[in-house]
Amino acid sequence: MANIACLLLLLSVSVTGLHQVWAMKSAFKPRDVLPLLPRQVSWPILNRLHSAVDLLPVFVGAASSPDDNLQWKGACFYENKAWMVLHNKSGTEFGGGTLHIKVSNAHSWTCMDLYIFATPYRVTWDYYFLAREHTLEINAWEGKAEYEYVKNHGLSIFLLQAGMLGTLQALWEVFPLFTNTGWGENSNIKFLEKHMGASFEVRPQPWVTNVSADDIHSGDFLAVSKIRGRWGAFETLEKWVSGAYAGHTAVCLRDSDGNLWVGESGHENEKGEDVIALIPWEEWWDFELNKDDSNPHIALLPMHPDLRARFNETAAWEYALSMAGKPYGYHNMIFSWIDTLNGNYPPPLDANVVACVMTIWSQIQPEYAANMWNEALNKRLGTKGLDLPEVLVEVEKRGSSFDELLTIPEQDDWVYSDGKSTSCIAFILEMYKEAGLFDPIASSVQVTEFTIKDAYILNFFENNSSRLPKWCNDGDTVKLPYCQIKGKYRMELPGYNTMQPYAHMNERCPSLPTKYFRPKNC
């Protein structure tokens, strides 16, 4: 502790020359120096102060001319303003610009603010420790499009609201989400408890059901929740933004010989590609029991007998076979989540942050970006081949906005460069659609707009517990309305089996945690 005291004293002496700038401020705030304390003391406290959500940047505004008077409160400096001055110091065709950002009124001597600056064509960052006017030089714009964009709309500014130390701590919370360890599993559970309001009640053992495949029928639904490793982390984030209490799905089908198969979009093939596949039940179940290291929790949702009688098995097989081998539906994955201008983004997410993340990814992995959103954005505009910057410029030309573009509903008949695009849940619901379960309103329902939650709340499933298989929830003290067949923790599916399908279902639904309120007929 003596060394820490010396370090703090040295820090205090080193900033005494700045007393005129920071007059009347405390020398430091406890949260600013917590990382200097022993880890066993500091990290538990910092864990309470910051979370993985704090990694998300907050859009504070777009800096343009000095007359626009952009001002905001930062995490460290409470008074900030910025403006943009266009110039041609480089002598290039469209010149460049200087961002002026004046920061003042820091809450302590030891804090700093981190910022991301972006246009559709570039992303950069900087941090500010001293209260004064700072500048960010952009020597030359990428071309006329970027110049016109900045001239008309300014340079977007994003604040990392947790500050330097908070961001490092938030990274510390995010990292274990992706680790395939007990630490990672506990981190995913804590994240969902904290940010989603989920509960994880331990079930009595055994945690694996002795399933009789003879009791499983075509159309029965498999809800899967993974809680560790890479897929566990992605599912955790998906659950948080969508309100779904499962992160993956599959569907059962019997062939003409009575053999049971599992249809799944997102099955990893021998090349490591995520594709749509039809897998024998025994093979699928063995993998989940013995080879899937994400600790999957699985529930079987038996179809209601009346729906089963309507289920056209031949049409379902024709659809499944037509899709087998096609890539997983990355093209429309994020668009099933975003239905509204501001009702689907958990704070501090918003459309500006989404655009910023897309811009960063487009520069780092352009092929990934094209697969994830470029084609889908072009579909919504009725254009072809535009990259993300060109999409953003085109949207502005039309007098619209990027957040409005994101809310345009996906259409089931859209065909992408690699075929029709279906996520795990869209694949199942497209099959249900082909099999007649959405008749007579099938033509007015776009199932590519459905999240996993939207699917399991459909009233397609068994509602009479006496008709569930005898082995269903065997040994569990709580009798669920569905059959949990694997997992230490009891799976909860709020709203399960309660909603009648209707035209244009799930095209305008908000999904804000932790209540995930859903208006009628959205």
Side-chain angles (χ1 to χ4, degrees):
M1 294 297 291
N3 289 336
I4 295 171
C6 291
L7 182 58
L8 293 177
L9 178 61
L10 180 61
L11 181 62
S12 298
V13 171
S14 67
V15 297
T16 52
L18 302 174
H19 66 279
Q20 290 181 325
V21 177
W22 287 318
M24 304 303 293
K25 295 181 177 63
S26 58
F28 60 85
K29 290 289 182 72
R31 65 192 296 162
D32 294 328
V33 296
L34 276 171
L36 302 177
L37 301 177
R39 185 181 184 280
Q40 62 268 29
V41 175
S42 63
W43 284 103
I45 301 173
L46 278 167
N47 268 322
R48 296 176 183 272
L49 294 176
H50 298 292
S51 70
V53 176
D54 293 325
L55 278 177
L56 297 171
V58 176
F59 177 68
V60 299
S64 51
S65 72
D67 298 332
D68 286 346
N69 197 29
L70 174 62
Q71 299 184 46
W72 69 94
K73 180 180 178 180
C76 171
F77 295 96
Y78 287 169
E79 295 180 10
N80 306 273
K81 59 181 179 179
W83 62 96
M84 192 79 195
V85 175
L86 300 177
H87 59 66
N88 197 358
K89 297 177 183 178
S90 59
T92 55
E93 183 177 1
F94 300 104
T98 302
L99 172 69
H100 297 258
I101 181 165
K102 187 174 183 179
V103 303
S104 60
N105 193 18
H107 71 68
S108 82
W109 289 354
T110 54
C111 66
M112 67 176 68
D113 276 337
L114 286 87
Y115 288 95
I116 294 173
F117 306 102
T119 75
Y121 301 83
R122 73 178 69 231
V123 176
T124 188
W125 68 281
D126 207 345
Y127 63 92
Y128 304 119
F129 181 71
L130 300 177
R132 61 178 176 84
E133 183 179 317
H134 303 266
T135 58
L136 177 72
E137 288 291 342
I138 298 174
N139 292 326
W141 304 115
E142 292 291 331
K144 181 180 180 181
E146 186 179 24
Y147 165 71
E148 292 288 346
Y149 187 92
V150 175
K151 184 175 72 171
N152 294 322
H153 304 289
L155 181 73
S156 295
I157 301 175
F158 299 86
L159 169 70
L160 290 170
Q161 60 180 350
M164 176 70 81
L165 300 178
T167 300
L168 292 174
Q169 172 53 24
L171 283 169
W172 181 256
E173 182 176 343
V174 165
F175 171 73
L177 296 180
F178 291 85
T179 62
N180 197 355
T181 62
W183 177 37
E185 181 173 310
N186 289 333
S187 297
N188 279 284
I189 289 172
K190 289 178 181 178
F191 183 98
L192 293 171
E193 289 175 334
K194 178 178 179 180
H195 298 292
M196 194 175 178
S199 61
F200 289 82
E201 298 179 359
V202 177
R203 304 164 64 220
Q205 294 197 52
W207 295 329
V208 176
T209 299
N210 186 17
V211 176
S212 173
D214 293 338
D215 296 320
I216 302 176
H217 306 276
S218 284
D220 287 354
F221 187 104
L222 291 160
V224 183
S225 180
K226 304 182 180 186
I227 57 175
R228 67 192 296 173
R230 175 172 57 110
W231 286 116
F234 284 126
E235 286 192 16
T236 289
L237 299 175
E238 177 190 0
K239 293 167 188 172
W240 170 53
V241 299
S242 69
Y245 278 64
H248 183 56
T249 55
V251 65
C252 299
L253 278 175
R254 283 200 180 276
D255 63 22
S256 56
D257 296 324
N259 299 311
L260 184 63
W261 296 74
V262 174
E264 183 178 38
S265 179
H267 177 77
E268 187 173 324
N269 65 15
E270 314 80 48
K271 299 178 181 178
E273 302 165 332
D274 295 319
V275 298
I276 298 171
L278 292 164
I279 312 142
W281 164 262
E282 294 80 8
E283 180 183 330
W284 186 87
W285 185 229
D286 177 70
F287 177 84
E288 298 304 331
L289 290 180
N290 302 308
K291 300 173 186 176
D292 191 338
D293 57 8
S294 65
N295 192 8
H297 287 51
I298 305 173
L300 175 75
L301 283 49
M303 186 172 284
H304 191 281
D306 293 346
L307 273 293
R308 189 178 301 140
R310 289 171 48 192
F311 188 83
N312 186 330
E313 202 170 61
T314 300
W317 267 107
E318 287 178 358
Y319 171 76
L321 291 171
S322 73
M323 296 296 290
K326 286 185 167 56
Y328 175 82
Y330 287 109
H331 294 292
N332 50 32
M333 183 175 68
I334 68 170
F335 296 97
S336 63
W337 152 50
I338 302 173
D339 290 346
T340 67
L341 293 179
N342 50 30
N344 299 108
Y345 302 105
L349 271 179
D350 62 14
N352 294 291
V353 175
V354 171
C356 177
V357 172
M358 286 182 174
T359 299
I360 294 171
W361 273 108
S362 295
Q363 294 189 16
I364 297 173
Q365 291 188 321
E367 291 183 5
Y368 175 93
N371 194 29
M372 281 291 287
W373 48 72
N374 282 4
E375 276 199 72
L377 293 172
N378 275 272
K379 292 285 187 187
R380 283 158 173 78
L381 284 171
T383 55
K384 288 185 178 181
L386 299 185
D387 60 17
L388 181 63
E390 291 168 332
V391 164
L392 296 174
V393 170
E394 181 64 24
V395 167
E396 297 294 339
K397 284 181 181 178
R398 298 186 184 191
S400 184
S401 63
F402 186 65
D403 49 358
E404 290 177 325
L405 182 67
L406 293 175
T407 65
I408 295 175
E410 184 81 8
Q411 301 297 302
D412 292 350
D413 60 359
W414 281 350
V415 179
Y416 290 86
S417 58
D418 50 8
K420 284 195 172 183
S421 185
T422 58
S423 63
C424 64
I425 193 58
F427 170 69
I428 296 172
L429 296 181
E430 284 277 16
M431 182 188 295
Y432 283 1
K433 199 173 177 182
E434 293 293 326
L437 298 192
F438 283 95
D439 290 344
I441 61 168
S443 62
S444 59
V445 174
Q446 307 299 329
V447 298
T448 42
E449 277 291 304
F450 284 51
T451 65
I452 292 174
K453 176 187 176 182
D454 297 330
Y456 65 64
I457 66 173
L458 289 169
N459 63 349
F460 284 1
F461 307 106
E462 180 61 80
N463 59 4
N464 185 341
S465 59
S466 68
R467 290 198 294 250
L468 293 173
K470 292 181 179 180
W471 44 262
C472 183
N473 301 312
D474 187 31
D476 199 342
T477 55
V478 175
K479 299 305 178 184
L480 298 170
Y482 41 84
C483 307
Q484 183 166 348
I485 57 178
K486 186 180 184 300
K488 174 180 177 179
Y489 303 102
R490 189 169 290 114
M491 292 179 68
E492 51 182 338
L493 301 175
Y496 172 70
N497 203 27
T498 58
M499 191 161 294
Q500 179 77 16
Y502 55 87
H504 303 290
M505 188 176 188
N506 300 316
E507 293 183 7
R508 291 290 182 265
C509 292
S511 59
L512 290 178
T514 57
K515 299 298 183 182
Y516 298 100
F517 171 71
R518 176 194 175 97
K520 186 178 180 180
N521 295 329
C522 65

